[in-house]
């Protein structure tokens, strides 16, 4: 086992990892290794064959694979970037040794000066949300079904009920309709959808697929294969209301009930996680609580748009490259960012200042529930307002972005609070 | 299987009881066929239960349950080594919270001593909390049974079947017994959709269906009431909350809802007990879930509900006499029942197999030892448990051990292929899961499910749309239907 030395090892070759590799290279990293467990680069995008990717980044409507391909090309043009496919990272150690395995090399270790975690996320399953009933074949997560339909060429069912109105569920409602399946309904336990408005319109309304808000599945039926579900309306505590049950016949249930950042590796090495995002606590450079370990993309917090994932990957790539070259200036101050009122999560969770900080800070925030006429305020020491943003509408599914010049933080105190008020005029 | 096959003995049912019997009989010069109606063995009660190797203080002395429990528990020490079973001898606690419970513990202690359970002891509150610091602080004491253990029941059944097949037993899956054919009051064979199997002896190990099988032969001497028990399984992250099997003090009806570790470091809670009409009813219910949560919280107040990864239920095969029914049929010669095998059936299974062999002998069957009998299974490769050097060697030997398919449990393609190719090989996605753990982790097959499906299709040489989850008709995917394609703007 020979242990090669890299400036940078990137775990995961999705859009976050690819953007990180590209930007690390532009920022002077000499040798970069991207490790991807799948057969190809591109991450989850490879199975997202619908369009609508890249509107911010490329001002063009690309498919997922199309978007991914642009970054794959950028990365492949650089001899500095080495890629290992079909390779799984098993463990990352505090001394930045990365242990991985593949059929060709077996188990091997590489040594990194800096590590970037870009492992993406996984889907929440039936077990996690405790849907009662039988356990026949035909219950899938929407993402697994998406992979089968778009990459392997099989469909998961012919008469389908989708639980959860997240974007993946909505996209699959349309995809399967186009594949000839009957999507009976989409059920959503919350009184509002978590999906992007454009997806509700383009994936459900256009195909007359009903969306039942404040509804859930209370039982799955079928011995071998799903034969139907019993649904019910839920009350304000999300408990099914007796007497509101109705049955829908179907042979397939797709679950689109949330994504969980995949932080097994980061957690094991000792990176601190944020209990609300389920991702690492990071600063504006995407450095985690462990020096020299960075993170970007869905592993940090679940993104709705891949454009922001690429942006985050670029940030992490740049600062990891600087770190690896010993060029990342020492921090002299850390400011914690706290979320309050309607704001549920904010990334980054910390701002660090050094003698040379110049890049503006972009805060990515999510609200806990839909809000109207919201005024977002970033408040520093002595109640000094550093930035504000007015939002006519804010939805949990849509990220709020707020850019703040770094010098605003100069006299901010130990923490700043991101809070909200009902706007007087919006 | 041809239209007509012959054997000395046909065993009906590939649960832990049927497979243990098959393995026991494979020691002798007998022609044995094991038939199972599902595509894979261990898909009945044996896959969904508490997986405890009980110590044996529960059952009343003089019952078969008591005798075979203690004997079976002891036998697993040898079997563990011969067949590479996953066993952990954790010991068990029956926890008392009231003075009444303390009286119950004393009764259990005496009963256990009569049953010859080794090492039983009453522990004080402090001793209990030292062993299990996360238990409710209002415990009063507990009965400690050091000989109890936990294991993988489906793993054991597969290991029994593997060993039996290696020693000459034939296994026919998707082969339900439809009729037990008798002539002049004596068994002559079993009718199946795959043909007639001529034989002199039929062993009824059909689990919850054992009474129906018995009736097929005109024997209505016992009936079985299915009694369901539901469970919730938690992520390995919280696996260290308990270290031993923790029972509440039992009521008259059940051993109660327990909190229990698994051999792979998860914990689970359950089971409740509910009589059901349909033997196939393995559904979980909201009332059942809240019942087991409420009861388990009495033992373990900080139950990590957020970390639940799956729920399931199993069905007990309770015979009306309350004890195991292991005997000759009084109606048809040659039919031997191994029925009513409810808890502690897993623990007792190898001892039940010995009793069945003994009954055959008493019936005049000559049990001549088979000189070629090999009591050992080869040690399977469990990639995750290998040292780095062993991992490297395994991959050099077979590169498929270098491809991780189940990321939650680090299961490689090599292990999955081995599980399909072993003597009692997996035929379904759940069968792969039972043999390798692929899909048992926190993502519950969300990532590896489609990949396992593809590997099964390749290894079994069938189409992806022919691959099944578990039962005969549980197909997972369909061929694509013709339809419009929506791709626009692809580069
Ligand atoms: C099913 C699904 C559908 C989506 N659909 C859309 C959509 O339509 N539009 C949109 O804008 N966004 C969509 N998203 C959001 C999407 O996650 C982001 O746009 C983006 O793909 C996230 O990029 P990432 O690089 O952070 O993660 P991913 O794309 O998930 O990439 C992570 C990569 O890391 C690899 N990896 C993980 N662990 C290891 C390891 N231990 N060793 C080696 N490699 C590892 C994975 O194989 C994967 O390739 C979807 C997300 C999911 C889960
Ligand atoms: C909730 C619960 C908890 C339990 N906990 C424990 C415990 O902790 N410890 C313990 O020792 N025991 C426990 N038990 C008991 C134990 O699980 C059972 O005793 C044991 O699994 C029974 O095995 P079996 O082989 O008899 O039945 P099964 O595993 O049900 O096997 C019977 C097989 O017969 C097949 N079959 C049925 N009809 C036909 C036919 N016509 N033709 C061919 N094949 C057929 C079925 O498909 C099935 O595979 C528990 C049981 C339950 C339900």
């Amino acid at each position: 086992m020979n242990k090669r030395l890299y400036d940078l090892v990137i775990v995961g070759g999705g859009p976050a990892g690819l953007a990180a590799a590209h930007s690390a290279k532009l920022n002077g990293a000499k040798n970069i290794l991207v490790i991807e467990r799948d057969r190809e680069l591109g991450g989850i995008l490879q199975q997202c064959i619908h369009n609508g990717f890249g509107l911010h980044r490329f001002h063009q409507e690309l498919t997922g694979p199309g978007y991914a391909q642009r970054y794959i090309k950028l990365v492949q043009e650089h001899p500095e970037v080495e890629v290992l496919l079909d390779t799984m990272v098993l463990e990352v150690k505090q001394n930045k040794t990365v242990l991985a395995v593949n059929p060709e090399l077996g188990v091997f270790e590489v040594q990194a000066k800096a590590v970037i975690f870009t492992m993406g996320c996984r889907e929440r399953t039936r077990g996690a949300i405790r849907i009662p009933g039988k356990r026949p074949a035909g219950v899938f997560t929407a993402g697994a079904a998406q992979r089968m339909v778009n990459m392997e060429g099989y469909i998961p069912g012919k008469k389908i009920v989708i639980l959860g109105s997240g974007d993946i569920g909505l996209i699959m409602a349309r995809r399967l309709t186009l594949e000839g399946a009957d999507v009976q309904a989409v059920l959503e336990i919350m009184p509002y959808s978590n999906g992007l408005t454009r997806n509700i319109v383009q994936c459900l309304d256009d195909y007359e697929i009903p969306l039942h808000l404040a509804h859930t599945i209370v039982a799955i039926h079928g011995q071998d294969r799903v034969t139907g579900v019993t649904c019910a309306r839920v009350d304000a505590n999300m408990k099914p209301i007796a007497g509101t049950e109705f049955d829908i016949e179907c042979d397939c249930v797709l679950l689109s009930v949330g994504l969980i950042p995949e932080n097994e590796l980061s957690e094991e090495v000792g990176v601190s996680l944020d209990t609300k995002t389920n991702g690492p606590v990071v600063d504006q450079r995407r450095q985690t609580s462990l020096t020299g370990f960075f993170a970007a993309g869905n592993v940090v917090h679940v993104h709705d748009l891949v454009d922001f994932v690429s942006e985050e990957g670029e940030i992490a790539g740049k600062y990891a490259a600087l770190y690896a070259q010993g060029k990342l200036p020492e921090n002299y101050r850390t400011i914690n960012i706290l979320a309050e009122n309607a704001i549920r999560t904010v990334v980054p969770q910390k701002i660090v200042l050094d003698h040379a900080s110049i890049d503006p800070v972009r805060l990515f925030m999510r609200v806990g529930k839909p809000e109207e006429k919201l005024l977002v305020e970033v408040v520093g020491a002595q109640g000094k307002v550093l930035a504000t943003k007015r939002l006519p509408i804010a939805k949990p599914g849509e990220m709020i972005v707020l850019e703040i010049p770094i010098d605003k933080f100069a006299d901010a105190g130990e923490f700043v609070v991101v809070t909200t008020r009902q706007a007087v005029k919006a | 299987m041809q239209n007509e096959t012959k054997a000395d003995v046909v065993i009906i049912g590939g649960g832990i009881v049927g497979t243990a019997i098959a393995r026991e009989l494979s020691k002798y010069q007998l022609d044995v066929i094991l038939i199972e109606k599902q595509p894979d063995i261990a898909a009945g009660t044996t896959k969904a239960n508490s997986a405890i190797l009980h110590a044996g203080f529960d059952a009343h002395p003089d019952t078969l349950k008591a005798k075979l429990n203690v004997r079976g528990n002891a036998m697993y020490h040898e079997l563990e080594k011969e067949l590479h079973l996953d066993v952990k001898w954790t010991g068990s606690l029956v926890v008392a919270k009231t003075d009444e419970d303390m009286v119950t513990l004393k009764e259990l202690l005496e009963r256990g001593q009569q049953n010859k359970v080794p090492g039983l002891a009453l522990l004080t509150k402090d001793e209990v909390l030292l062993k299990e610091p996360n238990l409710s602080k209002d415990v009063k004491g507990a009965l400690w049974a050091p000989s109890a253990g936990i294991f993988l029941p489906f793993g054991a059944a597969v290991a029994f079947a593997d060993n039996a097949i290696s020693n000459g037993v034939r296994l026919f899956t998707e082969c339900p017994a439809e009729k037990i054919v008798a002539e002049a009051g004596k068994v002559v064979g079993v009718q199946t959709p795959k043909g007639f199997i001529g034989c002199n002896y039929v062993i009824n190990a059909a689990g919850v269906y054992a009474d129906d099988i018995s009736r097929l032969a005109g024997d209505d001497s016992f009936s079985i009431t299915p009694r369901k028990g539901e469970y919730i399984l938690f992520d390995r992250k919280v696996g260290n909350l308990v270290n031993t099997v923790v029972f509440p003090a039992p009521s008259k009806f059940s051993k109660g809802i327990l909190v229990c570790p698994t051999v792979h470091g998860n914990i689970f809670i359950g089971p409740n007990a509910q009589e059901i009409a349909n033997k196939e009813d393995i559904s979980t219910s909201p009332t059942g879930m809240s019942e087991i949560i409420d009861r388990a919280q009495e033992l373990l107040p900080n139950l990590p509900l957020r970390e639940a990864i799956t729920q399931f239920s199993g069905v007990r095969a309770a015979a009306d006499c309350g004890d195991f029914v292991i005997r000759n049929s009084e109606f048809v010669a040659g039919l031997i029942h191994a029925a009513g095998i409810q808890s502690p059936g897993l623990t007792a299974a190898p001892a039940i197999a010995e009793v069945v062999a003994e009954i055959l002998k008493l019936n005049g069957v000559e049990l001549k030892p088979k000189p070629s009998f090999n009591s050992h299974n080869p040690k399977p490769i469990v990639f995750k448990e290998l040292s780095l050097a062993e991992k490297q060697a395994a991959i050099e030997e077979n590169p498929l051990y270098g491809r991780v398919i189940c990321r939650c449990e680090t299961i490689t393609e090599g292990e999955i292929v081995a599980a399909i190719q072993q003597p009692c090989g997996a035929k379904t996605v759940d069968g792969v899961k039972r043999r390798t753990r692929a899909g048992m982790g926190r993502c519950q097959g969300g990532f590896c499910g489609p990949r396992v499906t593809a590997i099964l299709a390749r290894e079994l040489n069938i189409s992806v749309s022919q691959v099944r989850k578990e039962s005969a008709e549980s197909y997972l995917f369909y061929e694509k239907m013709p339809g419009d394609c929506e791709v626009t703007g692809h580069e």
Side-chain angles (χ1 to χ4, degrees):
Chain A
M1 240 187 282
N2 59 337
K3 200 168 173 182
R4 293 198 49 191
L5 176 68
Y6 291 89
D7 275 357
L8 188 54
V9 172
I10 299 172
V11 187
L18 292 171
H22 178 60
S23 110
K25 188 263 149 199
L26 296 182
N27 285 283
K30 284 285 161 322
N31 41 16
I32 301 164
L33 176 64
V34 180
I35 304 183
E36 168 56 51
R37 69 180 160 208
D38 219 327
R39 299 176 291 227
E40 63 267 298
L41 291 171
I44 212 79
L45 291 183
Q46 294 290 9
Q47 67 183 56
C48 301
I49 64 170
H50 53 281
N51 59 340
F53 293 83
L55 284 170
H56 295 246
R57 204 124 265 257
F58 299 114
H59 307 290
Q60 209 178 329
E61 286 220 10
L62 302 171
T63 63
Y67 183 99
Q69 198 52 40
R70 296 215 169 182
Y71 272 95
I72 294 174
K73 270 191 208 146
L74 284 177
V75 163
Q76 281 171 343
E77 278 162 15
H78 302 308
E80 292 90 335
V81 184
E82 213 179 294
V83 173
L84 280 175
L85 297 177
D86 198 8
T87 307
M88 173 100 172
V89 174
L90 297 174
E91 195 188 344
V92 179
K93 297 181 189 145
Q94 290 220 336
N95 66 2
K96 305 194 185 75
T97 301
V98 177
L99 176 73
V101 62
N102 73 22
E104 211 178 305
L105 301 172
V107 276
F108 60 95
E109 284 183 338
V110 293
Q111 182 61 49
K113 292 184 189 164
V115 173
I116 308 184
F117 291 118
T118 53
M119 288 89 73
C121 54
R122 64 185 145 79
E123 297 180 277
R124 182 129 18 106
T125 63
R126 173 177 181 182
I129 56 169
R130 286 210 293 277
I131 308 176
K134 297 205 170 183
R135 313 179 56 74
V139 183
F140 301 95
T141 60
Q146 186 177 49
R147 185 179 176 97
M148 278 319 268
V149 176
N150 294 343
M151 296 181 78
E152 319 285 342
Y154 293 90
I155 59 168
K158 296 180 176 172
K159 246 183 164 182
I160 295 166
V161 170
I162 298 177
L163 182 64
S165 61
D167 287 312
I168 313 168
L170 299 176
I171 298 275
M172 284 310 288
R174 175 175 63 185
R175 171 93 243 126
L176 286 161
T177 305
L178 293 170
E179 288 296 343
D182 267 326
V183 179
Q184 305 287 308
V186 176
L187 305 169
E188 169 58 59
I189 197 163
M190 305 303 277
Y192 51 85
S193 164
N194 267 316
L196 298 173
T197 310
R198 75 162 197 238
N199 282 338
I200 305 259
V201 174
Q202 293 173 9
C203 300
L204 299 188
D205 298 354
D206 286 359
Y207 299 91
E208 295 176 357
I209 297 168
L211 170 64
H212 300 288
L213 297 175
H215 275 77
T216 192
I217 292 178
V218 294
I220 293 178
H221 308 290
Q223 196 61 41
D224 296 296
R225 179 84 200 182
V226 173
T227 56
V229 293
T230 302
C231 315
R233 179 181 285 282
V234 297
D235 62 21
N237 299 317
M238 294 191 286
K239 293 265 177 275
I241 304 171
T244 63
E245 295 88 355
F246 60 99
D247 289 351
I248 305 179
E249 221 178 273
C250 61
D251 67 356
C252 176
V253 178
L254 290 191
L255 303 175
S256 175
V257 291
L259 300 171
I260 307 168
E262 180 140 333
N263 276 292
E264 276 73 10
L265 292 174
S266 4
E267 219 177 345
E268 268 167 40
V269 67
V271 162
S272 319
L273 300 189
D274 175 336
T275 50
K276 283 193 188 144
T277 55
N278 287 314
V281 171
V282 291
D283 62 27
Q284 80 273 27
R285 299 157 176 170
R286 299 303 183 269
Q287 188 162 218
T288 68
S289 60
L290 284 185
T291 329
F293 289 87
F294 297 76
N298 278 0
V299 86
V300 176
H301 54 147
V302 176
H303 291 70
D304 43 359
L305 292 175
V306 69
D307 310 69
F308 293 139
V309 169
S310 302
E311 175 181 330
E312 194 162 82
E314 275 168 15
I315 297 172
K318 169 176 169 185
Y319 289 103
L322 294 180
Y323 177 90
Q325 299 166 79
K327 292 186 190 160
L328 195 64
E330 283 281 315
N331 311 331
Y332 64 81
R333 246 181 76 203
T334 302
I335 302 160
N336 290 310
I337 305 188
L338 308 177
E340 233 185 46
N341 288 343
I343 303 295
R344 204 180 98 82
T345 63
V346 54
V347 171
Q349 295 89 341
K350 299 184 289 199
I351 306 291
V352 292
L353 298 181
D354 58 54
H355 61 83
S357 316
I358 42 163
D359 292 344
V361 171
R362 276 156 69 85
L363 298 182
F364 292 84
M365 296 161 285
R366 278 186 199 275
V367 287
K369 59 182 180 40
E371 305 279 349
E372 279 182 15
K373 297 187 183 163
L374 210 57
L375 180 66
V376 181
E377 289 184 334
V378 182
V379 187
Q382 289 95 41
K384 190 172 162 195
V385 176
L386 310 184
T388 57
K389 182 167 188 144
R390 276 176 202 283
L391 296 166
I393 296 175
K395 292 170 112 192
E398 294 176 23
M399 200 107 81
I400 304 163
V401 188
L402 184 50
E403 188 167 298
I404 307 173
I406 189 86
D407 50 4
K408 292 259 184 193
F409 289 95
D411 50 12
E414 266 173 42
F415 57 86
V416 301
V417 181
V418 183
T419 186
T420 56
R421 279 197 286 148
Q422 227 45 47
V424 195
K425 59 178 177 45
Chain B
M1 175 181 160
Q2 280 132 24
N3 270 345
E4 189 151 334
T5 318
K6 269 195 165 348
D8 297 317
V9 181
V10 171
I11 304 165
I12 302 175
I16 195 155
V17 173
T19 55
I21 294 169
R23 196 260 179 172
E24 179 66 25
L25 297 186
S26 74
K27 294 174 180 170
Y28 305 106
Q29 297 183 35
L30 283 177
D31 195 355
V32 179
I33 292 175
L34 172 62
I35 66 173
E36 166 55 51
K37 70 173 177 189
Q38 298 291 359
D40 191 16
I41 67 153
T45 303
T46 298
K47 80 168 174 187
N49 48 61
S50 307
I52 299 165
L53 294 170
H54 287 292
F57 50 76
D58 260 311
H60 285 274
D62 306 327
T63 58
L64 276 172
K65 276 186 181 172
K67 227 170 21 209
L68 301 181
N69 182 341
V70 177
R71 166 89 184 131
N73 177 298
M75 288 173 77
Y76 273 104
H77 285 276
E78 186 69 24
L79 290 166
E80 177 188 359
K81 285 179 233 132
E82 290 177 335
L83 304 178
H84 307 290
L85 307 183
D86 287 310
V87 185
K88 278 190 190 155
W89 299 101
T90 54
S92 69
L93 290 169
V94 184
V95 174
K97 295 183 82 176
T98 63
D99 292 336
E100 217 183 319
D101 288 348
M102 290 301 286
V103 176
T104 312
L105 293 197
K106 293 216 177 69
E107 284 168 18
L108 286 179
L109 173 68
E110 279 164 27
R111 215 189 284 164
Q113 285 164 343
Q114 282 186 52
N115 291 348
K116 301 203 171 60
V117 177
L120 292 176
L122 286 174
L123 304 188
T124 63
K125 170 177 184 154
D126 289 348
E127 289 169 327
V128 178
L129 290 175
L130 201 65
K131 274 194 195 303
E132 294 294 357
N134 294 312
L135 287 189
S136 161
K137 298 293 172 273
D138 54 10
V139 309
K140 292 209 143 161
L143 175 64
W144 167 239
S147 64
I150 53 178
F151 80 135
L152 262 191
F154 34 85
V158 171
F160 287 143
D162 265 346
N163 194 246
I165 294 168
S166 309
N167 286 303
V169 170
R170 283 177 285 169
L171 167 67
F172 298 154
T173 53
E174 295 189 62
C175 189
E178 287 176 329
K179 205 169 160 198
I180 294 175
V181 184
E183 277 167 19
K186 208 184 158 326
V187 164
V188 295
V190 178
Q191 187 63 47
T192 81
K194 292 187 168 178
F196 180 77
I197 312 174
C199 64
N200 300 320
Y201 292 93
V202 170
I203 295 163
N204 173 12
V208 280
Y209 290 96
D211 57 343
D212 300 311
I213 293 289
S214 179
R215 279 182 212 118
L216 287 181
D219 176 350
D220 204 3
S221 61
F222 62 93
S223 72
I224 287 191
T225 310
R227 203 166 350 113
K228 182 163 81 177
E230 294 165 272
Y231 293 94
I232 301 176
L233 181 78
F234 296 90
D235 195 304
R236 265 189 286 129
K237 246 192 269 191
V238 296
N240 50 8
L241 279 174
V242 293
N243 316 297
T244 58
V245 179
V246 183
F247 300 96
S251 71
K252 278 196 189 63
F253 309 101
S254 99
K255 293 181 200 135
I257 309 292
L258 48 136
V259 181
C260 187
T262 72
V263 276
H264 290 121
N266 306 72
I267 62 166
F268 70 80
I269 59 171
N272 56 356
Q274 191 197 348
E275 287 200 355
I276 48 174
N278 176 353
K279 292 177 173 178
E280 297 291 329
D281 179 9
I282 51 164
S283 61
T284 53
S285 65
T287 44
M289 290 295 115
S290 31
E291 181 188 352
I292 63 176
I293 290 170
D294 291 350
R295 293 285 91 77
Q297 275 171 336
E298 291 170 7
L299 287 174
L300 194 72
N302 298 321
L303 200 60
L305 284 175
R306 273 174 56 109
E307 304 295 343
I309 58 175
T310 190
Q311 298 78 42
F312 58 89
S313 67
V315 184
R316 304 170 183 89
D320 42 6
C321 64
D323 200 3
F324 294 159
V325 179
I326 309 173
R327 55 167 170 79
N328 280 314
S329 164
E330 285 154 14
F331 293 76
V332 187
L335 174 63
I336 299 165
H337 299 303
I341 313 294
Q342 52 175 323
S343 189
L346 303 171
T347 322
I352 293 172
E354 284 182 338
V355 173
V356 168
E358 194 58 32
I359 294 173
L360 280 172
K361 200 164 148 193
L362 291 174
N363 286 337
V365 178
E366 200 186 350
L367 298 182
K368 267 195 289 188
K370 199 187 275 173
S372 63
F373 175 73
N374 178 355
S375 62
H376 284 70
N377 279 347
K379 190 169 162 50
I381 294 181
V382 181
F383 182 78
K384 194 179 177 176
E385 288 166 11
L386 301 180
S387 69
L388 281 188
E390 290 168 331
K391 284 185 169 121
Q392 187 62 23
I395 299 166
E396 274 165 22
E397 175 96 358
N398 177 357
L400 292 185
Y401 284 99
R403 183 173 295 132
V404 176
I405 299 291
C406 167
R407 60 195 192 196
C408 299
E409 302 293 319
T410 321
I411 310 299
T412 62
E413 185 164 1
E415 287 160 281
I416 292 169
V417 170
I420 299 167
Q421 290 177 349
Q422 73 192 81
C424 175
K427 306 246 174 6
T428 60
V429 172
D430 283 1
V432 168
K433 172 162 114 179
R434 281 196 288 274
R435 284 167 184 77
T436 64
R437 289 184 68 60
M440 279 200 189
R442 54 184 66 113
C443 95
Q444 289 286 300
F447 173 79
C448 67
R451 287 167 172 82
V452 169
T453 305
I455 297 169
L456 269 164
R458 183 187 76 208
E459 295 297 316
L460 299 176
N461 200 14
I462 55 179
S463 141
V464 164
S465 57
Q466 295 303 113
V467 177
R468 293 161 295 181
K469 176 176 185 282
E470 173 81 295
S471 57
E473 301 294 324
S474 62
Y475 296 104
L476 285 155
F477 296 101
Y478 302 96
E479 302 288 338
K480 257 192 181 181
M481 295 180 276
D484 295 336
C485 185
E486 66 160 330
V487 177
T488 55
H490 196 312
E491 299 242 300

